[in-house]
Amino acid sequence: MPFDLDSVRARLPGRRIDWYQSIGSTMTLAAQLAREGCESGTVVGADEQTAGIGRQGHRWHSVADAGLYVSIVLRLPIGANDLPVAMLALGLAGQKAIAEAAGMAADLRWPNDVLIGGKKCAGILAQLEGGAILAGIGINVNQAAFPEEIAELATSLRLESGRVISREDLLVELLRAVDEFSANLAEQGPGAILRRFERASSYAAGRRVRVEADGATIEGTTCGLDGSGFLRVREDNGKERTILAGGVRPA
Ligand code: BTN
């Protein structure tokens, strides 16, 4: 179904939303708008991405009309050191949007994978550009199947619920939730987001994980986040490691 941008604009008056039928990556255009000084909250979205960017150099599967593919330019009064916490805030926003628009309870896997039934239904990128944070959010909404190479790991809201979910409702809820969690971060500081993330994520503490980081594999049990938003993992020898980046998987 074609995306009904008018219905989104009617519910979010005054919001700049640039929508494309097909685009390489929404990140590229959002970066350009950020450099040109666009307003905070500006959205670039597309029905299809031909070169969707995922974390760690992966492609983001972005077939036409099935998913939600958006980049949001955010100008928040926070320092560059708070980017990891901003990323966690975006995960919380994705989780809340899915609950509000689809009535589904998603889990969060540090730093920013959104999971249902243990499979990934949304992913988030956050990078600095033009003095702003570029939040790239991809949600698998109505895909009926995935390519073989990711089928074991990926799912969609439709596959999990058996219903077609409105991408328009999801975008409205996502932008509201991003506004809410951005305001939380700006007004209450990182601690408020860290506490919420620890409550919202089954991966934050007490979970056996394997982490691929810096060419090494670490296995252990998660034991919360540090004050910067990094994941703490206790190895079986009792040594505690702080994970700055990398892929976390159940062990
Ligand atoms: C991940 O790998 O988990 C992050 C995926 C982020 C995908 C979104 S889709 C909208 C935006 N444009 C992109 O090219 N990537 C992000």
Side-chain angles (χ1 to χ4, degrees):
M1 260 216 286
F3 191 77
D4 183 359
L5 187 55
D6 288 344
S7 99
V8 175
R9 290 205 168 113
R11 286 178 276 172
L12 296 169
R15 168 86 61 160
R16 175 170 177 186
I17 304 174
D18 293 2
W19 200 265
Y20 296 83
Q21 219 168 47
S22 183
I23 199 173
S25 163
T26 57
M27 295 303 274
T28 315
L29 276 190
Q32 190 182 323
L33 295 182
R35 287 192 296 272
E36 289 167 4
C38 70
E39 249 185 72
S40 185
T42 296
V43 179
V44 177
D47 287 320
E48 173 191 50
Q49 294 186 119
T50 54
I53 303 164
R55 288 178 61 225
Q56 300 175 312
H58 292 125
R59 281 288 183 96
W60 185 256
H61 176 71
S62 309
V63 291
D65 302 330
L68 191 62
Y69 317 117
V70 292
S71 296
I72 310 165
V73 180
L74 297 169
R75 299 190 189 279
L76 305 181
I78 60 169
N81 288 348
D82 287 332
L83 187 63
V85 184
M87 212 139 73
L88 302 181
L90 292 166
L92 286 165
Q95 184 189 49
K96 179 163 187 188
I98 289 168
E100 296 290 335
M104 302 173 77
D107 193 8
L108 295 173
R109 181 172 59 201
W110 186 92
N112 49 15
D113 290 340
V114 186
L115 310 173
I116 296 183
K119 289 184 166 187
K120 184 158 164 171
C121 66
I124 293 161
L125 292 176
Q127 64 192 58
L128 295 172
E129 188 75 49
I133 295 172
L134 283 193
I137 304 178
I139 304 181
N140 300 329
V141 188
N142 289 322
Q143 284 89 341
F146 287 90
E148 207 180 304
E149 61 275 18
I150 56 170
E152 284 289 298
L153 303 172
T155 191
S156 71
L157 304 186
R158 175 179 167 184
L159 283 171
E160 295 300 319
S161 68
R163 291 179 291 127
V164 169
I165 304 294
S166 156
R167 289 185 297 148
E168 293 81 357
D169 290 354
L170 191 58
L171 178 57
V172 170
E173 295 300 341
L174 180 65
L175 296 177
R176 286 182 178 149
V178 167
D179 286 352
E180 177 192 326
F181 285 101
S182 300
N184 276 178
L185 176 58
E187 288 158 19
Q188 295 167 34
I193 296 296
L194 297 177
R195 284 189 296 277
R196 287 186 79 156
F197 190 92
E198 284 181 331
R199 283 201 301 273
S201 165
S202 78
Y203 274 83
R207 187 80 186 243
R208 288 290 300 174
V209 292
R210 183 173 302 121
V211 186
E212 310 286 343
D214 299 329
T217 303
I218 296 162
E219 203 170 307
T221 305
T222 59
C223 47
L225 304 175
D226 75 2
S228 301
F230 297 124
L231 184 66
R232 291 158 47 224
V233 175
R234 187 170 302 112
E235 292 180 282
D236 296 337
N237 61 12
K239 188 173 167 194
E240 206 177 278
R241 307 278 290 251
T242 302
I243 311 299
L244 305 182
V248 174
R249 294 282 176 273

